[in-house]
Amino acid sequence: MSETNLTDYGNATRCSVSPDFTAKVFAGCGIDRYVRADSALGAVCVAWGAGGVSAVRLAADELAFETWYADRFGRRVVPAIEDDPISSAARASLRGDDVTVPIDLRDCSPFEQRVLHKAAEISRGNARPYAWVARELGAQDASRAVGNALGRNPVPLLIPCHRVIRADSSVGGYVFGADAKRELLEREGLDFGALENVARRGFRFIANDDGTFCLPTCGDVATRVDLPGYHGLRSAGEAHAHGLVPCVTCRPIAA
Amino acid sequence: MAVACAVAPADSDELLAGALARDLDAAFERLVIVYRARIVTFVARMLRDDARAEDVAQDVFVRAYHALRTYPPERRGALRLRSWLYAIAHNLTRNVFRDAPPPSDSFDYDDGTPRVAVLDPRPGPETLVLREEAWASVGDAIAELSPALRPAFVLRYVDDLSYDEIAHTLDQPVGTVKASAHRGLLAVRAHLEKNDV
């Protein structure tokens, strides 16, 4: 057994520190931190605090990002030296990994938070109309407010607000531009050619061969509209007349 | 998760103080990274309570930040960061002591007057050579030191601060901290001999 002195003892018995130690210190100081991360749209700035990720923006100009952040959130954001569990989860999610990322929506109104949580339920390869989100929240007439709330999404990509589109399958607005929105959705598997074909023929729903019916943006159902067993529907009444039941995933009509 | 941090040499403290003077918010994380494990450990040794050490250490850094904000840049740049941070930690742990006093089973005889006025500050005969299996016993021995001796002993022999830095940290004369550190060393040595380590 080797002989050591007390300083060696001090170094060897130094306490380990929890991974969120620094984030908690920064929370006490009222400062958030940010890192640059890769995403489907290129480099983004990801800001976070002890409560979760607070902002995602394209990283073209970091100074502009810091200014925008202070304006919107009323606190300073500084470049981080180290990643921690929250920023690492955000990086993984932005790479496309299926991970849970803590999100901090304190800056959003209760209605905006409900809209964003609903948008977060829409899975990859799917899209839903603005009016669908409004109806799901019990606010049928609030499609425009839904659009505004999605437009204020502080964490685009992490909360996939790009998956909410117009009822006619045109993409609508997006914080990073309509072209980026369409590109993201196509990359996730949405077939706009098929969706436009369905819309042009006046179909609002698609009947499936298992006796259910869907929104055209429920997965790849729009690509199957002319296959045996499938067909387009112009109204919910038509679906009822065929004895079809609504899909439980996309919930195409009010319950 | 073990976070290994090299001991910060004095020159990097000067660089860090300069960075804090230029842009406090941007340089502050570096201060946390360099000192967090040392401050958590110091607090844990002072409180004998690992569970509370992280919370108190976080408070040390938050207080340090708010103090730094009130300092003009030239004062931030001239700070002796290491002893300044340990001083905040020491004061906070003293407050915690005041709220919940530690058990009074100390074996040293503390009458408040230093028994050894001046010691040779050079390391040498007064260092303690240990075998690694004795480490657990050293922790027990430190835990049994009185609150009057423990900070000086830990800062000198475990955290390797100079007497000058310790005097700055504890806001006591150099002679007093030398005496406390030495008495702490004698007490730890006696504890280890008593337990035949």
Side-chain angles (χ1 to χ4, degrees), chain A residues 30 39 84 113 121 172:
Chain A
S39 79
D84 75 358
Q113 293 186 23
E121 293 174 10

Side-chain angles (χ1 to χ4, degrees), chain A residues 2 4 13 15 18 81-82, chain B residues 29 36 41 45 54 130 132:
Chain A
S2 63
T4 63
T13 56
C15 294
S18 303
I81 296 170
E82 275 186 342
Chain B
E29 186 178 353
R36 60 191 168 195
T41 307
R45 288 191 173 120
E54 282 214 7
L130 302 165
E132 282 172 23

Side-chain angles (χ1 to χ4, degrees), chain A residues 1-4 6-7 9-10 12-18 21-22 28-29 31 33 76 80-82, chain B residues 1 5 23 25 29-30 36-38 41 45 54 58 61-62 65-66 128-130 132-133 135 139 157-158:
Chain A
M1 186 64 72
S2 63
E3 289 187 336
T4 63
L6 275 170
T7 308
Y9 161 80
T13 56
R14 190 165 291 164
C15 294
S16 61
V17 176
S18 303
F21 184 90
T22 305
C29 299
I31 315 170
R33 290 176 291 159
R76 193 166 173 198
I81 296 170
E82 275 186 342
Chain B
M1 184 184 80
C5 268
D23 187 342
D25 289 355
E29 186 178 353
R30 177 65 64 197
R36 60 191 168 195
R38 293 166 65 96
T41 307
R45 288 191 173 120
E54 282 214 7
Q58 281 155 12
F61 285 103
V62 171
Y65 173 78
H66 290 300
L128 187 60
V129 175
L130 302 165
E132 282 172 23
E133 70 254 36
W135 284 1
Y157 292 108
V158 182

Side-chain angles (χ1 to χ4, degrees), chain B residues 16-84:
Chain B
L16 188 50
L20 290 166
R22 282 189 300 280
D23 187 342
L24 169 61
D25 289 355
F28 186 68
E29 186 178 353
R30 177 65 64 197
L31 180 75
V32 177
I33 291 170
V34 169
Y35 279 107
R36 60 191 168 195
R38 293 166 65 96
I39 295 296
V40 169
T41 307
F42 175 70
V43 169
R45 288 191 173 120
M46 289 301 107
L47 297 181
R48 304 187 236 170
D49 183 348
D50 287 1
R52 290 178 74 185
E54 282 214 7
D55 285 348
V56 175
Q58 281 155 12
D59 202 15
V60 169
F61 285 103
V62 171
R63 281 164 193 252
Y65 173 78
H66 290 300
L68 288 167
R69 275 192 74 92
T70 66
Y71 295 172
E74 56 273 19
R75 182 167 174 202
R76 294 202 294 265
L79 271 180
R80 297 159 70 189
L81 284 175
R82 186 157 78 153
S83 50
W84 181 76

Side-chain angles (χ1 to χ4, degrees), chain B residues 116-121 152 157 163 173-183:
Chain B
V116 187
V118 179
L119 284 170
D120 185 347
Y157 292 108
Y163 285 121
V174 172
T176 306
V177 300
K178 279 184 185 174
S180 299
H182 185 68
R183 288 177 56 205

